[in-house]
Amino acid sequence: MKKYDLLKVLGITFAIVFLLSWIIPAGAYSEGKFVATGTTTPIGLYDIFRIPAITIATFIQYGLVFLAIGGFYGVLNKTGVYSKLVDGLAKKWNKNKNKFMILTIIIFALLTSITGLANVVFILVPLFVAILLKLGFNKITAFSSTVGAILIGQIGCTFGFNVWGYLKYTFDLDMTTLLLARIVLLVMTLVLFIMLVKKNDKETKNKKEENIPLYEQTESKKKTMPIIVISIISIILLMVGLYNWYYGLEIDFFATLNETIMTYEFNGYPLFGNLFGTVSEFGYWGNYDIVTILVIASLIIGWIYNLKLDDILKEFKDGSKEMLKPALYSMLASVIFAIFINMENGNFVATIMSKFIENSENFTFTGTIGSALISSFAYNDFYTLLTTFSSAFTGFEKTIIPVVAFILQTMYGIVMLIAPTSIYLLAGLSYLQIPYKEWVKYIWKFLLTIFGVVVVVAFVLTTLV
């Protein structure tokens, strides 16, 4: 039953929400006040079958990203040089495997912390997982060093627009607000996480590993440089395109550059505007652009390595099939989120939050933490979480708002590291076929420790403002 472990966890989570919807009255926050409807908004029997379908239809963009990642690696395998690249890096780091593992954790955490683009950073996961498994690490170590590190980066977000940028916009803050505290938290979290991963691998290093996902052992005399260059260019392009430079860092260079290119005219003819078609301004790209760039990169790599178009399409399809389950779970992770955003006139999450925050004009430390945890579990989309519940906090004194933002960020990151509503957690566990129960057993002590660290740091910040 291990292969149905994640599905079972999602089913239990759905059942709990189903029951609570019949018991707890609905409510909503409006202009800083909690408004109770006095009635419940129960999930009906028909909804049990309807909501999962709505979830997949609504969040198919996440699934397509993971399918495109699988397809991209499928083409890389077909070139024959991907195996050469993985084997070469594994051989190079064989005598310093622990250093490579630590370096991997730092790279994934920093990239996510600085950019906030977990969806782009995930593109690197299959490559680093393959190298780590080649080095003899177990699967949960490979998972922790990559996907786990991505989630660690969210807890200690520094300049990531998809986390702190949203908080900046919502609460009228700066990107540098409490930056030192967030950097200190990131460093502390990283150190503790590295200690956890090293300890775990020592305990299970003799465990036999299964086949490496999205990796085929091949031999080739062709050079690896083309796939390295194209992959790096693709990831940089995606990071530039998805990061909102203007609202995040007040940099309008990329918006100006995009406009200059798209409006350029040759003898009165908008050459690039017509050639490229509908290209969103840098800073406003999304998941569909990730899919597009990965498809284009796959075609270019296939062309460079003299692959026939039929072979490129076949390998892209086969790679996508290997990522089918992670793609499915990435969508189903939002099933609870889909329930709440489709409920009219509020839901019971706001009612539960009102028990923590009775009056939005009076800040309470424990109330803010409790509200952040509850809302993060229900709303795995951080932007929607803020737009839905920000008025519950905006009535607080202005001096305490940065601390509120810090608590919301860190609690959201902690929840995403364990909750069955975490998109990248479920996709990663499915990718490496790690049971959810095994991950919870592995991470719960660390989470309690980090929760304690966050509480202490947040409490100190409240005394300083």
Side-chain angles (χ1 to χ4, degrees):
M1 293 296 290
K2 283 187 177 182
K3 62 180 180 179
Y4 300 111
D5 173 74
L6 290 177
L7 197 60
K8 186 191 302 182
V9 171
L10 281 169
I12 293 172
T13 305
F14 186 89
I16 292 172
V17 173
F18 174 85
L19 291 173
L20 292 178
S21 72
W22 284 79
I23 299 171
I24 303 176
Y29 278 94
S30 178
E31 298 181 357
K33 295 181 179 179
F34 171 71
V35 180
T37 63
T39 59
T40 59
T41 53
I43 300 172
L45 294 176
Y46 184 72
D47 294 326
I48 293 177
F49 303 96
R50 178 174 174 268
I51 290 174
I54 292 176
T55 303
I56 293 174
T58 305
F59 300 100
I60 192 172
Q61 55 181 302
Y62 293 111
L64 290 175
V65 167
F66 289 104
L67 291 177
I69 292 174
F72 176 71
Y73 278 92
V75 175
L76 291 186
N77 274 303
K78 184 62 177 179
T79 64
V81 299
Y82 176 63
S83 172
K84 182 179 178 182
L85 175 64
V86 171
D87 294 349
L89 288 171
K91 183 178 180 180
K92 180 179 179 179
W93 287 93
N94 188 53
K95 294 182 180 180
N96 297 289
K97 57 179 65 178
N98 284 330
K99 289 183 179 179
F100 182 81
M101 179 265 291
I102 294 171
L103 183 63
T104 300
I105 294 174
I106 293 173
I107 289 173
F108 276 82
L110 285 182
L111 281 176
T112 308
S113 174
I114 295 171
T115 69
L117 302 173
N119 47 0
V120 177
V121 180
F122 202 99
I123 297 172
L124 296 171
V125 169
L127 169 62
F128 279 81
V129 162
I131 298 171
L132 287 164
L133 293 179
K134 275 283 184 177
L135 287 172
F137 290 106
N138 57 68
K139 282 190 174 182
I140 201 160
T141 297
F143 173 83
S144 302
S145 302
T146 53
V147 181
I150 288 175
L151 301 174
I152 291 295
Q154 290 185 331
I155 296 176
C157 177
T158 50
F159 291 98
F161 183 81
N162 288 0
V163 181
W164 192 262
Y166 291 155
L167 290 165
K168 169 185 180 289
Y169 177 81
T170 302
F171 296 116
D172 193 25
L173 303 172
D174 294 321
M175 289 301 282
T176 55
T177 301
L178 296 182
L179 179 59
L180 180 59
R182 290 182 279 137
I183 292 175
V184 169
L185 177 64
L186 176 62
V187 173
M188 293 174 65
T189 306
L190 265 175
V191 170
L192 291 171
F193 191 67
I194 289 170
M195 291 171 61
L196 168 74
V197 177
K198 288 181 66 177
K199 177 184 177 182
N200 174 267
D201 189 72
K202 287 180 180 178
E203 293 175 348
T204 58
K205 62 182 179 180
N206 294 322
K207 183 177 179 180
K208 184 180 179 180
E209 294 298 337
E210 299 177 9
N211 293 332
I212 300 174
L214 287 177
Y215 170 85
E216 294 179 10
Q217 185 69 52
T218 55
E219 294 184 4
S220 175
K221 294 182 179 180
K222 296 180 180 178
K223 295 182 179 180
T224 59
M225 190 54 65
I227 66 170
I228 295 174
V229 172
I230 294 171
S231 298
I232 291 175
I233 291 175
S234 299
I235 290 174
I236 292 175
L237 181 61
L238 286 171
M239 288 185 172
V240 171
L242 270 77
Y243 190 91
N244 197 311
W245 298 94
Y246 182 75
Y247 286 103
L249 302 175
E250 298 181 3
I251 296 175
D252 60 1
F253 169 77
F254 293 106
T256 304
L257 176 64
N258 184 84
E259 183 180 359
T260 301
I261 294 174
M262 298 304 289
T263 59
Y264 172 79
E265 293 185 356
F266 181 77
N267 291 333
Y269 183 78
L271 179 62
F272 296 112
N274 288 340
L275 179 63
F276 293 127
T278 305
V279 180
S280 299
E281 180 182 314
F282 288 141
Y284 295 92
W285 285 19
N287 285 324
Y288 293 119
D289 294 289
I290 296 177
V291 175
T292 302
I293 294 299
L294 287 176
V295 169
I296 293 174
S298 299
L299 291 171
I300 293 175
I301 289 172
W303 173 70
I304 290 176
Y305 285 96
N306 298 318
L307 300 181
K308 295 180 180 179
L309 181 59
D310 288 344
D311 290 334
I312 295 174
L313 295 177
K314 179 182 180 300
E315 297 304 322
F316 193 92
K317 181 189 70 174
D318 291 344
S320 297
K321 285 172 63 177
E322 196 166 344
M323 285 291 279
L324 188 57
K325 284 187 177 180
L328 178 62
Y329 283 114
S330 73
M331 294 181 283
L332 290 178
S334 297
V335 67
I336 306 304
F337 177 46
I339 291 173
F340 293 126
I341 62 175
N342 282 284
M343 284 184 173
E344 298 180 0
N345 302 319
N347 56 63
F348 67 80
V349 176
T351 303
I352 296 176
M353 285 181 61
S354 69
K355 304 303 179 183
F356 291 96
I357 304 178
E358 295 181 2
N359 189 333
S360 62
E361 296 180 358
N362 297 323
F363 167 80
T364 62
F365 186 71
T366 55
T368 304
I369 290 177
S371 298
L373 290 172
I374 293 296
S375 57
S376 296
F377 181 86
Y379 288 73
N380 61 6
D381 181 81
F382 195 58
Y383 178 76
T384 307
L385 184 157
L386 292 177
T387 56
T388 305
F389 298 113
S390 61
S391 65
F393 310 103
T394 51
F396 297 156
E397 291 184 12
K398 193 172 182 180
T399 55
I400 203 68
I401 290 298
V403 180
V404 172
F406 178 84
I407 291 173
L408 287 172
Q409 169 191 306
T410 52
M411 292 300 134
Y412 173 79
I414 288 173
V415 170
M416 290 302 103
L417 198 54
I418 194 171
T421 53
S422 175
I423 293 171
Y424 302 103
L425 175 64
L426 261 62
L429 290 175
S430 174
Y431 175 67
L432 281 163
Q433 299 180 22
I434 298 172
Y436 180 78
K437 183 179 179 180
E438 184 178 341
W439 173 247
V440 173
K441 183 179 178 181
Y442 174 90
I443 200 70
W444 73 270
K445 290 182 181 179
F446 170 80
L447 281 180
L448 288 179
T449 303
I450 293 304
F451 178 79
V453 171
V454 169
V455 169
V456 171
V457 174
F459 183 76
V460 170
L461 291 174
T462 61
T463 64
L464 297 177
V465 295

